[in-house]
Amino acid sequence: MENIKKLILNTVKDAVIEEKQKLTVTVDYTKLHLLAKTLRDNAELPFDTLVFLTGMDRGEELGVNYLLCSSKDLSKEIVLKTGTTDRENPLLYSVTDLFETANYNEREVFALFGIRFINNPDMRKFFLNGDWNGFPFRKDYDANPELNPLNLESKDIIDIAPRIMEIDGKLVESTVNIFEEDDYIINIGPQHPSTHGVMHFRTSLDGEIVKKIDVHSGYIHRGIEKLSETLTYPQILHFTDRLDYLSANINRHGLCMAVEKAAEIEVPERAQYIRTIMDELNRMDSHLLAWACQTNDLGATTAFIYGMREREIILDIFEKTCGGRLIINQNVVGGVMFDIYDDFQKDVKSFIIYMCDKLKEYDRFFSHNVIALGRMIGIGNLSKEDAINYAVTGPAGRGSGWSCDIRKHIPYALYDKVEFNEVIRTEGDSYARYLNRLDEIEQSLHIIEQLIDNIPEGDICAKTKAIIRLPEGEFYSRVEACRGEFGVFIESRGDKFPYRLKFRSPSMALVSAMPLICKNEKISDFIGIGGSMDYVIPDIDR
Amino acid sequence: MILNYSQPLEVTNLTSWLDAALRSSLPEFWVLLIEFVLVGVAFLAAYAVIALILIYAERKITAFFQARFGPNRVGKWGLLQSVADMVKILLKEIVKINRSDRFLFFAAPFFMIVASMATFGAIAFGKGLHAIDFNIGVLYVTAVSSLGIIGVLLAGWSSNNKYSMIGAMRSGAQFVSYELSAGFALMTIVVLAGTMQFSTMIEGQRYCWNLFNGHISSLIAFIIYLISGHAETNRGPFDLPEAESELTAGYHTEYSGLQFGFYYLAEYLNMFIIASIATAVFLGGYMPIQVKGWVAFNGIMEYIPSYIWFFGKTAVLIFLSLWVRWSFPRLRIDQLLNLEWKYLLPINLVNIVLMVILVLSGLTLTDLLPGWF
Amino acid sequence: MSSVSKYFSGLFTGIKSLLFGMSVTWKELWTKKVTRQYPENRDTLVISDRWRSELTMPHDENNEHACTACGICEMNCPNGTIKVISQMIETEDGKKKKILDKYQWDLGMCTFCNLCVLTCPSDAIKFENTFENAVFNREKLKQQLNHEGSKLRDKKKEPLAPKAE
Ligand code: SF4
Ligand code: SF4
């Protein structure tokens, strides 16, 4: 990393480098693009993955934090910070041309903080309507309901995007039409059986072929990050289950880890075992559902029901362990809330045997079916470069040949103690993603097998103070959720509330790649590809 | 040739008695009129009842394939479920769609129902239970059943809904292609049977079903007919026109109440029609299983009424169609057309030639083993 | 030639895979059905003890509960679901004391995060697994957990309780 520091100083002389939890570099906003480009393109350790793009209201200044990491080694991370003191018309430079995934994130920052990004081709608000008054995540936001009254009239969608471009050193504001004049546009969503939630794809078609997709999101934006700023850390925990409700336990694990790292709380060994086992059960639960939904999207209803049937057994185990099936509330800061019940081991072991059998059945039933193969092989191709560029992680990223499993790269809990394979395929099509999920179920079974008999005795939760305060600072944690990397960023000012909390949602990256990989596919494959990407909408909208 | 049925349960007994009774007291014209009306009513009733039974059966069988119980709340084992559904559909409001083409929108379901009704009339349900027995029965059935597509296309066009439109267009492409295969498959058997009239065709299968008579060639024709027939009924894996995970409900997205009910009924009835034509053409229709020379066995078999044979064989084919439907994912439009134009059609054409050769050179089973069949 | 053999091998492997699929559904046709027949199975239905569906405040046979009206649960609830309404009374020896008047909990606003139960210093509340909570009116979801006329259990007396019987 020393070389990187040198490189940074060589590129931007007045960069401020600090050693915090991560290497943090603060630069002037005019230099940020240059620095990001240099970091991305350096041959030694390319920082080519944008993990977080966090809008910040630092009081005086509005700004953005970027967490970059290297696609070769996800544990090599660097934080870039920049900002502007102009609160009236804040302008920063976009990094969309370097990292495609920045596009939606910058639009999100625009909606929530009002920062506009120069050179971003599409500066519409993400999540919020274009006519929303005020920027909710700013500290001085006026939440008076009269400013944004409840609207019961339907509004037409305007397919015109404003943007601000720098041409020859001058800033030019212009607009651009999303669709062409006489495109045949059909709305897939917000109410559609196969968008897996309230998602809205404006799709222009050429016969059966998808020409362009425009993503509208935010139908279930609940402002969880904003709400969290007024809640204590233990209280925030219950929100994480409601982000990606299918990897509820893993999300919560991520937030707990961030708090534990910051407050230096040691998690007892037994709790770590329980956490890891529950995480893997959760992963199987999610992958089973993903498998079921994907088959259903391809029209095989029967397979859907089989998947749900197997998943039910995991949910029963969850219910018995922590009194919840979907929203399971298991992790707390310092450990877990509930100890395992008496027959836990027995139930899990019998599930492992049962599931191995069922995996074979799935294989026979669907994985080699000619129709299914025709609808998955070579469909929705996502190259490795694009996966990295769009920061598509999880089974989808690994289906494109990108080794991006946080459990391997930055092991947490017990993942460095157990043996498992990172499932990687290089085809990058729907079928690779499909098979990856089934293989990951197998790996999860394997992980649980190694742990289930060795759960040590002991406490399930460390003693924590009644009120948890985090020291001043910025804290990140990254975990491998079912759909990819889930991240938590906490900026604390020494309070019992976070000053800013941000969740990195894997699903947002998945959806941002949809317009790319669905282009020129058939409309029915668009649905199938959606199933293979397996995004969860509340995770995007937060 | 026709043996005298000594069957006490045959419906023919009833109909001929009725006919005789009417004729004894009324002039010819009135007799015919009353009989026409009676037959019409009977057919309408049968149409509805068969559809209800099929809906129930499909839901139950599907459930069993999917490790569920299926309907089991209304009546014993949920037997009244489809009746309850029918009542619900009858009571539902027919929603008027803004900016739709009212007349066509209204007319479309009738095309659908009339087409399937007209085909339904040509089916031989049992010995003597045959409303119209054309000498070109097979041709009639193929011609009339393809009218239904007009209903689908009109529905999609007039609904002013993009999903419906895409569904209807898919349906058009699908129907046109698969009509071809279904027709050719039937033609193969016409070559074998030497007739287009259903009753003669069925009688000709007394000892040897057409399916066995033409062995390889018949078998291929049978499979192709089942596939393309299945595709014609728009049921999974060929349910692209209404692919619910893509197009919500396809061409009938905007229909509600009774109008939707028409589509729903027609879908099930078409399934039945396809199965019953396959029964008549390939499996000997209402003929009981007969083996040459086994007099006692044949007697017992004949004791079972002919309509039971017919419905039994049809039920087996319907079960097969359900089994297929609930096992496979949906095809994509290009896969669908591929299957038809790259596989089914060429195989079919070769098959017809093969059948002609078999028949001309006396290689059918009846020719080869006359003592047995 | 190879394209011809590809054509036929594609045809046959395709058919084989379809038959495999059908064999699976055929097998499943005869397997045990998994649907749970609620409400017929109410007597045999097992809901985990840990299942959280209704917050309760256990009262003993003397109509006494353990809530000291400290308000910690109210403070810890992320959703403002709990309202602890307390009263100041004067005890016999003239000291002022805070006692519980009403303990209100709104099921419709609860996210079942269990924080109230975890943080209560007196273990006065707990979750029950009575899951049939459907009502016709939102007002009915608002419940008062302390019984009419109940009072705080005297901690010192507790060991004596068995003797009194
Ligand atoms: S469970 Fe959570 S939300 Fe519900 S009352 Fe208790 S603290 Fe509040
Ligand atoms: S329930 Fe517990 S925490 Fe809540 S007021 Fe009573 S004693 Fe305090």
Side-chain angles (χ1 to χ4, degrees):
Chain A
M1 293 299 270
E2 283 309 313
N3 292 346
I4 297 296
K5 277 189 207 166
K6 267 188 223 136
L7 179 73
I8 294 170
L9 286 177
N10 283 345
T11 325
V12 183
K13 264 190 228 63
D14 50 358
V16 186
I17 302 184
E18 295 160 283
E19 294 276 1
K20 297 196 180 172
Q21 193 194 20
K22 318 257 137 121
L23 185 73
T24 308
V25 185
T26 313
V27 288
D28 187 61
Y29 74 92
T30 49
K31 306 274 171 55
L32 184 101
H33 187 271
L34 175 69
L35 180 61
K37 189 166 162 54
T38 327
L39 284 172
R40 189 193 70 161
D41 293 340
N42 88 79
E44 189 196 325
L45 189 64
F47 285 93
D48 48 4
T49 314
L50 178 64
V51 184
F52 275 91
L53 192 157
T54 318
M56 294 289 302
D57 181 354
R58 303 202 180 95
E60 283 292 283
E61 186 187 61
L62 287 170
V64 176
N65 290 3
Y66 304 85
L67 176 70
L68 301 181
C69 74
S70 171
S71 65
K72 298 217 172 66
D73 181 353
L74 299 183
S75 64
K76 296 280 183 293
E77 298 154 316
I78 199 163
V79 179
L80 305 184
K81 284 164 94 174
T82 187
T84 164
T85 48
D86 182 358
R87 291 182 73 93
E88 286 308 307
N89 183 24
L91 288 171
L92 295 178
Y93 281 93
S94 166
V95 290
T96 309
D97 55 335
L98 304 176
F99 313 99
E100 269 299 335
T101 180
N103 189 353
Y104 286 11
N105 281 294
E106 284 173 357
R107 285 175 59 189
E108 176 193 332
V109 172
F110 172 46
L112 304 179
F113 289 92
I115 303 173
R116 285 193 296 165
F117 290 85
I118 304 166
N119 294 337
N120 185 319
D122 176 359
M123 262 286 101
R124 284 173 298 166
K125 286 181 177 173
F126 209 57
F127 296 160
L128 298 184
N129 273 338
D131 53 3
W132 188 268
N133 280 319
F135 301 105
F137 276 43
R138 287 196 188 178
K139 293 286 174 186
D140 54 6
Y141 173 65
D142 183 2
N144 185 351
E146 274 164 28
L147 287 178
N148 291 297
L150 187 62
N151 179 31
L152 298 176
E153 302 279 297
S154 88
K155 285 187 210 161
D156 278 342
I157 292 176
I158 303 163
D159 293 314
I160 297 174
R163 59 174 168 189
I164 203 168
M165 306 298 275
E166 192 179 50
I167 302 167
D168 305 331
K170 265 200 235 100
L171 296 183
V172 184
E173 297 214 25
S174 59
T175 54
V176 56
N177 288 340
I178 306 290
F179 295 108
E180 280 160 37
E181 190 68 32
D182 42 31
D183 271 353
Y184 188 78
I185 300 167
I186 121 170
N187 290 305
I188 305 234
Q191 301 294 332
H192 188 278
S194 300
T195 49
H196 300 196
V198 257
M199 188 71 188
H200 185 179
F201 296 101
R202 303 250 309 148
T203 314
S204 81
L205 293 183
D206 180 8
E208 285 263 344
I209 295 171
V210 174
K211 257 168 82 183
K212 183 164 187 180
I213 295 175
D214 184 32
V215 179
H216 288 251
S217 188
Y219 288 88
I220 28 177
H221 176 62
R222 295 148 293 178
I224 281 183
E225 290 162 7
K226 178 77 178 175
L227 284 173
S228 304
E229 289 172 11
T230 54
L231 294 178
T232 62
Y233 293 104
Q235 286 179 332
I236 296 168
L237 286 177
H238 83 295
F239 285 141
T240 49
D241 287 13
R242 287 162 175 83
L243 291 168
D244 175 356
Y245 43 77
L246 292 171
S247 35
N249 200 51
I250 307 180
N251 294 350
R252 208 163 150 123
H253 194 165
L255 179 55
C256 288
M257 263 167 50
V259 177
E260 282 150 12
K261 256 192 260 167
E264 291 172 356
I265 295 167
E266 187 74 34
V267 182
E269 177 111 37
R270 184 177 175 83
Q272 294 282 30
Y273 269 81
I274 298 177
R275 275 185 179 181
T276 316
I277 293 174
M278 294 296 271
D279 277 2
E280 289 312 311
L281 283 174
N282 205 181
R283 193 180 315 281
M284 284 193 283
D285 150 27
S286 165
H287 283 352
L288 276 174
L289 189 82
W291 180 82
C293 289
Q294 188 178 358
T295 54
N296 191 36
D297 285 347
L298 297 178
T301 329
T302 307
F304 173 76
I305 304 242
Y306 294 165
M308 296 302 266
R309 177 182 65 189
E310 271 70 88
R311 176 173 177 257
E312 191 67 18
I313 301 172
I314 304 183
L315 294 190
D316 280 343
I317 294 177
F318 282 164
E319 178 188 324
K320 285 192 220 158
T321 324
C322 27
R325 294 166 72 83
L326 196 62
I327 309 293
I328 58 181
N329 275 313
Q330 169 72 329
N331 290 320
V332 288
V333 175
V336 292
M337 195 184 282
F338 298 98
D339 203 350
I340 51 177
Y341 59 96
D342 292 341
D343 280 342
F344 182 78
Q345 275 107 328
K346 205 180 105 220
D347 285 357
V348 172
K349 274 192 231 159
S350 65
F351 174 74
I352 294 177
I353 296 167
Y354 175 77
M355 196 61 226
C356 286
D357 195 38
K358 288 295 164 192
L359 280 176
K360 284 192 203 108
E361 185 178 302
Y362 291 173
D363 211 49
R364 242 173 106 82
F365 186 44
F366 201 83
S367 304
H368 299 292
N369 186 302
V370 272
I371 305 176
L373 294 185
R375 300 214 42 194
M376 294 194 288
I377 290 180
I379 303 293
N381 286 321
L382 180 71
S383 67
K384 186 178 172 187
E385 291 68 41
D386 283 328
I388 294 170
N389 209 358
Y390 283 87
V392 172
T393 47
R398 291 190 283 278
S400 300
W402 178 24
S403 154
C404 56
D405 196 333
I406 302 282
R407 294 175 294 174
K408 282 280 184 206
H409 286 263
I410 317 171
Y412 56 96
L414 295 176
Y415 289 114
D416 47 353
K417 301 218 179 74
V418 291
E419 175 213 303
F420 66 101
N421 294 334
E422 183 179 357
V423 187
I424 296 178
R425 285 192 164 70
T426 49
E427 295 85 352
D429 55 3
S430 286
Y431 194 50
R433 296 189 275 272
Y434 166 91
L435 288 179
N436 264 9
R437 284 208 184 83
L438 289 182
D439 286 355
E440 280 187 20
I441 294 179
E442 214 175 305
Q443 292 304 322
S444 292
L445 291 172
H446 185 51
I447 293 175
I448 295 176
E449 245 170 8
Q450 298 169 48
L451 296 176
I452 192 72
D453 280 327
N454 307 321
I455 304 177
E457 292 298 320
D459 282 341
I460 54 159
C461 189
K463 290 267 170 304
T464 53
K465 297 204 192 78
I467 293 170
I468 299 169
R469 283 175 204 280
L470 296 195
E472 215 162 299
E474 289 157 14
F475 308 100
Y476 289 91
S477 87
R478 301 163 70 188
V479 290
E480 180 68 24
C482 312
R483 309 184 155 62
E485 176 183 339
F486 177 81
V488 181
F489 163 72
I490 300 175
E491 171 152 343
S492 166
R493 301 235 160 145
D495 238 327
K496 58 180 179 176
F497 312 121
Y499 181 77
R500 168 91 169 103
L501 179 84
K502 155 98 181 170
F503 296 114
R504 182 217 191 253
S505 81
S507 301
M508 185 137 151
L510 295 173
V511 164
S512 70
M514 282 295 281
L516 175 81
I517 58 177
C518 294
K519 200 166 183 224
N520 296 334
E521 299 286 4
K522 304 263 180 338
I523 176 107
S524 33
D525 283 333
F526 162 59
I527 304 293
I529 295 169
S532 78
M533 295 301 264
D534 182 34
Y535 37 79
V536 166
I537 314 301
D539 190 27
I540 304 169
D541 289 354
R542 281 164 282 148
Chain B
M1 182 184 86
I2 297 168
L3 285 173
N4 236 346
Y5 276 61
S6 54
Q7 225 308 323
L9 293 172
E10 247 352 302
V11 187
T12 347
N13 299 341
L14 181 70
T15 48
S16 45
W17 172 80
L18 197 69
D19 187 53
L22 284 173
R23 271 172 207 283
S24 63
S25 55
L26 285 171
E28 172 82 8
F29 172 76
W30 289 105
V31 171
L32 275 184
L33 187 71
I34 292 177
E35 282 181 355
F36 281 160
V37 171
L38 281 182
V39 168
V41 170
F43 264 82
L44 280 179
Y47 192 87
V49 169
I50 289 177
L52 290 184
I53 293 173
L54 277 180
I55 292 172
Y56 174 74
E58 151 136 63
R59 293 182 61 179
K60 223 37 190 181
I61 292 173
T62 312
F64 288 148
F65 276 130
Q66 300 183 341
R68 302 185 281 121
F69 286 121
N72 64 355
R73 298 284 146 151
V74 192
K76 183 105 180 130
W77 304 307
L79 276 170
L80 297 178
Q81 182 67 51
S82 40
V83 179
D85 285 348
M86 183 187 72
V87 172
K88 187 192 82 173
I89 276 189
L90 288 178
L91 293 180
K92 269 186 146 182
E93 183 191 356
I94 294 184
V95 181
K96 290 214 172 64
I97 310 294
N98 278 348
R99 280 181 271 168
S100 64
D101 186 329
R102 286 279 158 76
F103 176 70
L104 292 184
F105 187 74
F106 189 71
F110 287 100
F111 274 96
M112 194 76 184
I113 210 93
V114 164
S116 78
M117 194 66 212
T119 330
F120 190 64
I123 293 172
F125 292 95
K127 180 102 199 67
L129 278 179
H130 202 166
I132 6 177
D133 188 13
F134 287 126
N135 54 357
I136 47 153
V138 176
L139 188 66
Y140 170 78
V141 162
T142 7
V144 169
S145 66
S146 46
L147 276 179
I149 182 64
I150 297 181
V152 173
L153 282 174
L154 283 186
W157 178 255
S158 61
S159 300
N160 186 27
N161 177 323
K162 290 171 183 170
Y163 287 125
S164 304
M165 183 72 192
I166 297 177
M169 290 303 137
R170 283 182 178 182
S171 174
Q174 176 175 342
F175 222 84
V176 169
S177 334
Y178 281 84
E179 259 312 306
L180 219 57
S181 277
F184 274 130
L186 291 181
M187 281 312 133
T188 318
I189 299 305
V190 170
V191 170
L192 175 70
T195 171
M196 278 197 177
Q197 190 169 14
F198 278 119
S199 53
T200 9
M201 200 181 255
I202 291 169
E203 289 299 338
Q205 300 180 63
R206 166 162 298 270
Y207 294 112
C208 181
W209 293 354
N210 283 342
L211 175 61
F212 304 124
N213 197 4
H215 42 95
I216 309 178
S217 193
S218 285
L219 190 68
I220 294 175
F222 183 58
I223 292 171
I224 289 180
Y225 182 73
L226 286 186
I227 295 176
S228 45
H230 195 81
E232 271 185 65
T233 54
N234 287 345
R235 295 163 60 77
F238 304 101
D239 56 348
L240 296 94
E242 44 197 290
E244 83 278 355
S245 61
E246 298 153 25
L247 305 176
T248 56
Y251 60 87
H252 58 59
T253 307
E254 297 289 0
Y255 282 90
S256 57
L258 193 56
Q259 292 180 323
F260 167 73
F262 277 2
Y263 281 110
Y264 197 56
L265 279 190
E267 175 184 334
Y268 281 91
L269 246 292
N270 285 342
M271 176 167 81
F272 177 79
I273 289 169
I274 295 292
S276 51
I277 292 175
T279 309
V281 174
F282 293 95
L283 304 182
Y286 51 74
M287 275 291 158
I289 296 178
Q290 307 267 286
V291 181
K292 244 183 202 169
W294 297 11
V295 182
F297 175 80
N298 291 352
I300 296 170
M301 287 294 135
E302 271 182 12
Y303 203 72
I304 301 170
S306 58
Y307 50 86
I308 297 220
W309 280 107
F310 169 77
F311 281 112
K313 289 174 187 173
T314 314
V316 171
L317 290 186
I318 288 177
F319 177 80
L320 194 65
S321 129
L322 290 180
W323 187 7
V324 166
R325 173 173 189 184
W326 295 106
S327 297
F328 303 140
R330 185 181 309 116
L331 288 135
R332 203 193 319 133
I333 184 82
D334 58 318
Q335 285 177 317
L336 180 94
L337 297 180
N338 246 350
L339 173 68
E340 165 64 20
W341 297 99
K342 251 171 88 179
Y343 292 99
L344 296 189
L345 195 64
I347 294 177
N348 221 332
L349 289 173
V350 173
N351 196 32
I352 289 195
V353 177
L354 183 67
M355 181 59 101
V356 171
I357 295 172
L358 286 183
V359 172
L360 289 183
S361 53
L363 289 173
T364 58
L365 279 192
T366 30
D367 292 335
L368 288 175
L369 305 161
W372 288 36
F373 297 103
Chain C
M1 199 60 214
S2 77
S3 73
V4 174
S5 69
K6 224 170 112 195
Y7 177 91
F8 282 105
S9 74
L11 187 66
F12 288 117
T13 49
I15 291 173
K16 206 176 102 196
S17 76
L18 295 180
L19 290 179
F20 268 145
M22 285 174 74
S23 75
V24 171
T25 31
W26 179 254
K27 216 178 84 207
E28 293 287 354
L29 187 60
W30 310 106
T31 52
K32 203 163 146 271
K33 307 299 170 230
V34 292
T35 317
R36 294 185 201 174
Q37 298 277 49
Y38 180 81
E40 283 86 352
N41 68 352
R42 258 160 116 183
D43 302 334
T44 51
L45 189 67
V46 189
I47 298 286
S48 151
D49 293 337
R50 297 179 184 178
W51 181 253
R52 294 183 293 280
S53 43
E54 209 175 2
L55 191 66
T56 54
M57 181 176 282
H59 288 60
D60 58 14
E61 64 277 12
N62 305 328
N63 201 13
E64 288 176 339
H65 55 73
C67 175
T68 58
C70 66
I72 290 180
C73 53
E74 180 176 352
M75 206 176 72
N76 269 303
C77 176
N79 305 312
T81 311
I82 298 172
K83 295 254 157 352
V84 180
I85 300 174
S86 57
Q87 240 179 358
M88 278 302 200
I89 54 153
E90 223 162 283
T91 48
E92 294 130 31
D93 40 352
K95 271 191 230 148
K96 287 221 164 150
K97 200 179 155 205
K98 197 160 78 166
I99 62 155
L100 183 68
D101 183 22
K102 282 192 189 117
Y103 191 99
Q104 290 169 338
W105 174 72
D106 183 355
L107 193 152
M109 271 171 65
C110 180
T111 48
F112 306 101
C113 68
N114 211 24
L115 270 184
C116 46
V117 176
L118 279 190
T119 53
C120 172
S122 330
D123 286 336
I125 43 177
K126 71 184 236 262
F127 266 107
E128 290 290 345
N129 63 356
T130 46
F131 63 98
E132 288 161 320
N133 293 330
V135 287
F136 282 106
N137 174 335
R138 270 190 206 191
E139 283 307 306
K140 292 201 182 124
L141 292 175
K142 297 193 176 125
Q143 301 175 2
Q144 180 174 337
L145 301 190
N146 56 327
H147 297 177
E148 234 14 86
S150 62
K151 55 182 195 293
L152 176 65
R153 187 180 309 134
D154 200 339
K155 274 202 196 122
K156 285 170 226 141
K157 264 193 197 158
E158 222 165 339
L160 298 175
K163 266 186 198 169
E165 266 174 28

